[in-house]
Amino acid sequence: MLPMAAVAQVRMCSRISLVCLLLGSWALLSLCSGAPASGSESEANKSESSRSVSRNKSVKAFPVVTVDFAHVRSPFVVALWILLASVLKLGFHFLPKVSSIVPESCVLVCVGLIVGGLLKAVGETPPILKADVFFFYLLPPIILDAGYFLPTRPFSENLGTILSFAVLGTLWNAAFVGLLLFAVCQIQGSGLQHITLLPNLLFGSIISAVDPVAVLAVFEEIHINELLHILVFGESLLNDAVTVVLYHLLEEYASDPEIGAKEIILGILSFFVVALGGIFVGIFYGLIAAFTSRFTSRIRVIEPLFVFLYSYMAYLCSEIFHLSGIMALISCGVIMRPYVEANISHKSHTTIKYFLKMWSSVSETLIFIFLGVSTLAGQHQWDWIFISCTVMFCLIGRVLGVLGLTLILNRFRIVKLTPKDQFIISYGGLRGAIAFSLGYLLRDSFPRTLFLTAIITVIFFTVFVQGMTIRPLVELLAVKKKQDSKRSINEEIHTQFLDHLLTGIEDVCGHYGHHHWKDKLNRFNKKYIKKCLISGERSKEPQLIAFYHKMEMKNAIEMVVSGGLPKLPSSVSIQHVQRKDTLTERLLPTLTKEREEEVRKILRENLQKTRQRLRSYNRHTLIADPYEDQWNQILLKRQRLRSLDPRGSTYLTVPTGGRGSPPEQKPAESDATYFEPRDPTSDLPSITIDLASPFSSESVEIQNKGAVPGEDKGIVFSAKNPPNDENGSPNQRMQRFVSDPGPDNKPNDHFQS
């Protein structure tokens, strides 16, 4: 009983200390943010006056301790915000009961509301989440982390579905919400008649986009299956291009009331420019980052720096031309990762992984805290009709869009989306800080205050109501969750085997499907791109063999150091080396989890690929055999000849000779030129073989007339209209086999026996 009480006391003390730390952080935050801007000027004036007085005085004591908070105010406040976010994230995971009921994003928003309330209580203005701070400093780490570690296989397999939800779904939601809100505003007595069509459509384009930060924060906690996660998260990533184009397009159209066909065509063209331009910018910087990492083998320390800088440059360059920065970061991360990881060291890979995870987690925490603080900082205009209709139209439009698109997409999908999947996709359309930042950027000509209030209400509704209820609904509907255990090597082998099998089937059928183009891309990558972007022999030698050589060398050095070999090189130090206990431990060292994961990855990427070693089969590209038709004709002729008499299917004979003739030797089937001399006393017609005469079933028939019963005289041929020879006796012509070399060329092209 005593140990349990002690444990409970320790837990209580830890929680109390955590609460004290949070209160201290809030107090420091209020103190730091409470310092007015004019304080720095007064402090500067005081310092200047003190310096002038010190010049007049001849003797002045040297200051031991000075206080100059204005000098470090900005970085100190930033560091304090980051510290507050980290401590809050740490404390959230020490409360399992709270984390199992309330999502982390809801707790962070509540903390932001508390911090904003404390700042207003002390008479200070809470800080507002500015659009520049959000788009330039907080959003890029989250998107880069999502793009660099994006599961490419499920993303590429469901790319058509993701694009449908991202493009068509976002356009549908924007039009549905905007048009219905415009209809509501035209109702007499609503007090919203001054809001015209274009401002409503602009507001619909802002509020209809699914936010990637909110989706990541909620879906990673409920551990939804990989298909639903990649569909909703992929939609939130790719709908950025649609949101950016609609935002700038409708903002320009609102200032210019004359809209013609030219403006509409240019608006549609701008969508492709924004989306494809962002992708090309990301690919360009991704290839440069991969090429630069080829030469960092001597300076491993700066390898992670190139990954971060080139990705951020891609984002900034896309923002310069008003392209999609999110698309640029996603494409840059996806393109650079396979080549960069082949060039950098394992320590650099670990640094990149945990640095991105750390900054994305901190940025996500700061975003939700600032959302809560900004709610109490700005002005609000509450309108029950407009805000309640906005929430209702967002929910209805999302459900109708998902149901309509899924009804069409299920006709083309192999793995159909069930009603449960459709419900989770429609219910998981969360809104977040991107909509708030875009609403904050609106000009004063729009009802900016009303729009910001409606946006914050929709964000709070999706984060609190949908975010808190999606976990119980997933458990109630028994939706398949993500498997925590990784796939075995057996599953990896069979998966790749099925890929090769489906690629071969597509080649045989002449269908250029997903697997065909994937194989073409892999071949082009291996033949050209890897040689330029991967350093040394890694581009030529399979990674599995290189890793095997590396392991062999390391094991050899370990055996030498541990005393397994009689001689030790002078370059190897044996200080502080302990001998292995058993021979098994020396020969079979245990692998760590990191090394086991590396082995799994190498085996997965270097399984036997038969299509890259053997020539692919395609019925459209087969080379015609020049002798194929000739052999087919020979085969048909033999079959026709055998069909004349089943008894002659083995060989062709002539009537047996008379008495005194030598014993008969039946020729083989291939010897078509062997015939016995004809008995002159026989009344059978002669057989004449014409080498050039075409074979016809009508010119030859079997004749068994005059045959003595019980006597086998072989096959007898007679012509239907037998011509007479020079002696007046009928003759018969029969075609030779084409495979028979035949007699020498003579004036007469036939012989008579």
Side-chain angles (χ1 to χ4, degrees), residues 215-518:
V215 170
L216 272 178
V218 174
F219 273 59
E220 286 186 353
E221 292 186 9
I222 63 178
H223 301 286
I224 201 68
N225 64 76
E226 194 174 33
L227 175 62
L228 295 180
H229 184 273
I230 200 64
L231 287 180
V232 181
F233 181 62
E235 176 192 357
S236 66
L237 290 176
L238 300 186
N239 65 9
D240 175 70
V242 182
T243 305
V244 170
V245 170
L246 288 178
Y247 180 82
H248 291 291
L249 190 66
L250 294 174
E251 192 178 21
E252 292 294 330
Y253 287 171
S255 59
D256 187 8
E258 296 182 0
I259 302 175
K262 179 180 179 181
E263 285 75 13
I264 296 176
I265 295 175
L266 291 177
I268 297 174
L269 183 62
S270 65
F271 164 73
F272 294 99
V273 172
V274 169
L276 298 179
I279 293 175
F280 288 147
V281 169
I283 291 175
F284 175 74
Y285 277 96
L287 294 177
I288 293 180
F291 185 75
T292 306
S293 65
R294 182 178 180 179
F295 306 99
T296 58
S297 58
R298 297 185 180 182
I299 313 175
R300 296 291 187 184
V301 180
I302 62 174
E303 286 176 341
L305 188 61
F306 287 115
V307 175
F308 304 141
L309 289 180
Y310 279 119
S311 303
Y312 194 58
M313 289 296 295
Y315 181 81
L316 294 179
C317 288
S318 61
E319 290 293 330
I320 291 174
F321 300 100
H322 290 285
L323 304 176
S324 177
I326 293 180
M327 299 288 288
L329 275 178
I330 293 295
S331 57
C332 182
V334 170
I335 290 297
M336 75 164 67
R337 183 185 178 186
Y339 309 109
V340 168
E341 289 188 352
N343 292 326
I344 64 177
S345 62
H346 182 69
K347 293 181 179 179
S348 299
H349 169 69
T350 306
T351 303
I352 294 172
K353 177 181 178 181
Y354 286 101
F355 190 83
L356 284 178
K357 295 295 182 183
M358 177 193 68
W359 273 116
S360 63
S361 178
V362 172
S363 299
E364 177 186 328
T365 306
L366 289 174
I367 286 171
F368 285 109
I369 292 176
F370 269 110
L371 278 177
V373 175
S374 302
T375 302
L376 300 177
Q379 298 178 356
H380 301 287
Q381 180 183 351
W382 186 266
D383 188 279
W384 280 101
I385 298 177
F386 187 84
I387 294 176
S388 59
C389 290
T390 299
V391 175
M392 183 175 61
F393 293 157
C394 286
L395 294 177
I396 297 175
R398 176 72 180 177
V399 172
L400 293 179
V402 171
L403 292 179
L405 288 175
T406 308
L407 183 64
I408 300 174
L409 293 173
N410 276 340
R411 298 182 179 180
F412 306 97
R413 288 181 59 88
I414 298 177
V415 180
K416 310 296 183 183
L417 295 176
T418 62
K420 295 180 181 180
D421 298 336
Q422 299 175 30
F423 175 77
I424 296 300
I425 293 173
S426 59
Y427 201 74
L430 307 179
R431 274 69 169 180
I434 291 182
F436 177 81
S437 300
L438 291 176
Y440 186 80
L441 291 175
L442 288 175
R443 296 195 296 262
D444 295 334
S445 58
F446 298 97
R448 182 166 169 267
T449 307
L450 178 61
F451 284 176
L452 277 176
T453 305
I455 290 171
I456 291 174
T457 305
V458 173
I459 292 173
F460 279 20
F461 180 85
T462 57
V463 171
F464 281 92
V465 178
Q466 295 180 216
M468 292 178 63
T469 57
I470 192 171
R471 185 197 295 268
L473 289 175
V474 167
E475 295 178 356
L476 180 63
L477 297 175
V479 180
K480 184 180 178 182
K481 293 187 177 182
K482 183 179 180 181
Q483 298 179 357
D484 295 333
S485 59
K486 298 180 180 179
R487 294 193 304 177
S488 61
I489 297 181
N490 189 18
E491 294 176 350
E492 300 278 356
I493 293 174
H494 281 82
T495 301
Q496 192 163 357
F497 168 74
L498 289 176
D499 290 343
H500 290 305
L501 180 62
L502 292 174
T503 307
I505 292 174
E506 288 182 357
D507 288 347
V508 171
C509 298
H511 173 69
Y512 301 116
H514 168 74
H515 296 85
H516 172 82
W517 294 111
K518 182 180 178 181

Side-chain angles (χ1 to χ4, degrees), residues 515-579:
H515 296 85
H516 172 82
W517 294 111
K518 182 180 178 181
D519 182 74
K520 292 289 185 182
L521 183 62
N522 290 334
R523 289 191 178 191
F524 180 79
N525 180 32
K526 184 178 180 180
K527 189 174 181 181
Y528 300 104
I529 301 179
K530 279 189 174 181
K531 294 180 180 180
C532 300
L533 301 182
I534 298 180
S535 62
E537 297 295 330
R538 296 182 182 180
S539 60
K540 301 178 181 179
E541 186 179 21
Q543 191 178 2
L544 181 62
I545 299 177
F547 181 76
Y548 173 76
H549 291 163
K550 180 180 177 181
M551 291 292 296
E552 287 289 327
M553 183 63 67
K554 187 173 182 179
N555 290 336
I557 295 176
E558 288 181 355
M559 291 179 65
V560 170
V561 173
S562 60
L565 295 180
K567 294 183 179 180
L568 182 67
S570 58
S571 59
V572 180
S573 175
I574 60 174
Q575 296 179 357
H576 306 289
V577 175
Q578 295 181 358
R579 189 180 181 86

